[in-house]
Amino acid sequence: MSESRGPGRRPGRRPGVSDTRGQILTAARAIFAEKGFDKATIRGIARAAGVDPALVHHYFDTKEGVFVAAMRLPFDPAVLVPILVTGPREEVGERLVRFILTITADPKAREPVLALLRSAVTNDQVVAMIREFMVEALLGRVADALGIPLLRMEAAFSQMFGLVMARHIVQMEPMASADPEELVALVGPTIQRYVDP
Amino acid sequence: MSESRGPGRRPGRRPGVSDTRGQILTAARAIFAEKGFDKATIRGIARAAGVDPALVHHYFDTKEGVFVAAMRLPFDPAVLVPILVTGPREEVGERLVRFILTITADPKAREPVLALLRSAVTNDQVVAMIREFMVEALLGRVADALGIPLLRMEAAFSQMFGLVMARHIVQMEPMASADPEELVALVGPTIQRYVDP
């Protein structure tokens, strides 16, 4: 309980690189849950983890990077967004739908996403974190890159979110077993319409 | 515990119309949870409630009617579907989006829907019931009435489901506060495209 006050450590516990990283992520989860994504800071997470802020930057680069690792997201918006918005503008819809279907086709990548969706709809604290992260780090950035109003990007998100829910959580047939390319052809034009200003 | 075996009743408990109705609904919730919507029968629900099947028909007409009442759904597909598919075919998209936004705008009607969505994503038994009911009583029927493949109707559903989640559960701005008619104009054409064969 008062372990963090004293310098003493239990025998057999060997702090090392992975331990520090884990300590930061544990602290980050608590801070994000308490303050939400917007108000959380690298400094605050470092303080809660008992490490220097430079270490947090070293391991995770940005606050978003900490969030992605803490929530075990299978993608990093900082990497993802430029990929999604690069390429022919008239193919953005297909590209986004294909991306979301590909990432959720792999059970290992899908599970953290579904876990996050599940806790988002049942836990107000989690939903606030997700909302702030989604809007700021993902949707806002894509909307800016494409030069469209945020509302249109949120409409596109709502379609992809519903698609993942219907296919992988509700698992309604024939959608659950549909060929991904059939869904790209069906839903891609919806997203394209939203992102065409 | 063994109350149902004997004819004895506790004093002060006056069984009446509403009591029988409540008994049927309690039994129905257990049966739907155990067997799912497809395999549940009026006969089975009546047996579990200790009443004659004719009484279940009297109160709720159909198995769907029992489900709607047991789940406290704010709409009955048997009533709703004909309304939704009546009128100009080119306005079906707008009509569906306006309906879902109107029903979820009223907190009293919204809460049971959100509660159902929440338990659907976290409870496998509930999700199976919802899936069977949605596909059989709602989406399949609309798809038939419109003469389109079920997959297209499920795509339309996924968009409306995502819209309700983004607006009322994730509550992302500006979507959460957007004017309903702005959303009808934005999302209506998506639904229209799905239901145009």
Side-chain angles (χ1 to χ4, degrees), chain B residues 96-153:
Chain B
L96 287 172
V97 175
R98 195 173 286 118
F99 165 75
I100 201 77
L101 290 175
T102 304
I103 210 163
T104 55
D106 172 12
K108 256 182 69 183
R110 178 171 69 226
E111 275 318 312
V113 175
L114 296 190
L116 204 64
L117 292 183
R118 284 198 170 93
S119 52
V121 304
T122 49
N123 183 320
D124 286 345
Q125 240 175 15
V126 175
V127 85
M129 289 187 335
I130 302 300
R131 173 175 53 228
E132 293 172 1
F133 176 78
M134 287 292 305
V135 172
E136 192 174 306
L138 202 54
L139 304 181
R141 206 178 265 169
V142 178
D144 283 351
L146 297 173
I148 58 168
L150 186 52
L151 181 63
R152 297 189 78 90
M153 201 54 224

Side-chain angles (χ1 to χ4, degrees), chain B:
Chain B
M1 286 301 180
S2 61
E3 212 185 6
S4 60
R5 284 202 211 146
R9 287 186 184 277
R10 274 175 294 180
R13 195 169 160 219
R14 251 183 47 204
V17 167
S18 62
D19 196 42
T20 307
R21 198 176 179 279
Q23 243 169 277
I24 295 171
L25 292 180
T26 303
R29 276 178 216 113
I31 295 284
F32 283 129
E34 187 194 327
K35 299 193 181 288
F37 178 75
D38 284 352
K39 294 209 178 82
T41 61
I42 293 248
R43 185 169 295 273
I45 290 166
R47 197 183 307 125
V51 303
D52 192 275
L55 252 186
V56 181
H57 281 294
H58 169 73
Y59 283 123
F60 305 104
D61 201 12
T62 60
K63 181 170 76 169
E64 278 166 39
V66 183
F67 188 86
V68 166
M71 300 296 145
R72 298 184 185 87
L73 295 182
F75 56 85
D76 180 344
V79 177
L80 177 65
V81 171
I83 295 171
L84 291 177
V85 299
T86 302
R89 172 71 186 233
E90 66 276 17
E91 292 170 11
V92 172
E94 281 190 13
R95 207 150 55 228
L96 287 172
V97 175
R98 195 173 286 118
F99 165 75
I100 201 77
L101 290 175
T102 304
I103 210 163
T104 55
D106 172 12
K108 256 182 69 183
R110 178 171 69 226
E111 275 318 312
V113 175
L114 296 190
L116 204 64
L117 292 183
R118 284 198 170 93
S119 52
V121 304
T122 49
N123 183 320
D124 286 345
Q125 240 175 15
V126 175
V127 85
M129 289 187 335
I130 302 300
R131 173 175 53 228
E132 293 172 1
F133 176 78
M134 287 292 305
V135 172
E136 192 174 306
L138 202 54
L139 304 181
R141 206 178 265 169
V142 178
D144 283 351
L146 297 173
I148 58 168
L150 186 52
L151 181 63
R152 297 189 78 90
M153 201 54 224
E154 292 182 351
F157 164 79
S158 77
Q159 169 63 92
M160 291 190 287
F161 181 78
L163 181 64
V164 171
M165 299 291 275
R167 185 166 163 92
H168 292 294
I169 293 187
V170 183
Q171 298 179 353
M172 43 177 56
E173 293 296 355
M175 181 171 276
S177 313
D179 182 82
E181 284 304 310
E182 189 179 3
L183 294 178
V184 168
L186 187 59
V187 180
T190 295
I191 307 302
Q192 190 65 38
R193 207 190 116 255
Y194 291 141
V195 303
D196 280 341

Side-chain angles (χ1 to χ4, degrees), chain A residues 124-173:
Chain A
D124 286 345
Q125 239 174 17
V126 175
V127 85
M129 289 187 333
I130 300 300
R131 174 175 54 230
E132 292 172 1
F133 175 78
M134 286 293 305
V135 172
E136 191 174 306
L138 203 54
L139 304 181
R141 206 177 266 170
V142 178
D144 283 351
L146 297 174
I148 59 168
L150 185 53
L151 182 63
R152 298 189 77 91
M153 200 56 223
E154 291 182 351
F157 163 79
S158 77
Q159 169 63 93
M160 292 191 286
F161 181 77
L163 181 64
V164 171
M165 298 290 274
R167 184 165 162 93
H168 292 294
I169 293 187
V170 183
Q171 298 181 352
M172 43 176 57
E173 294 294 356

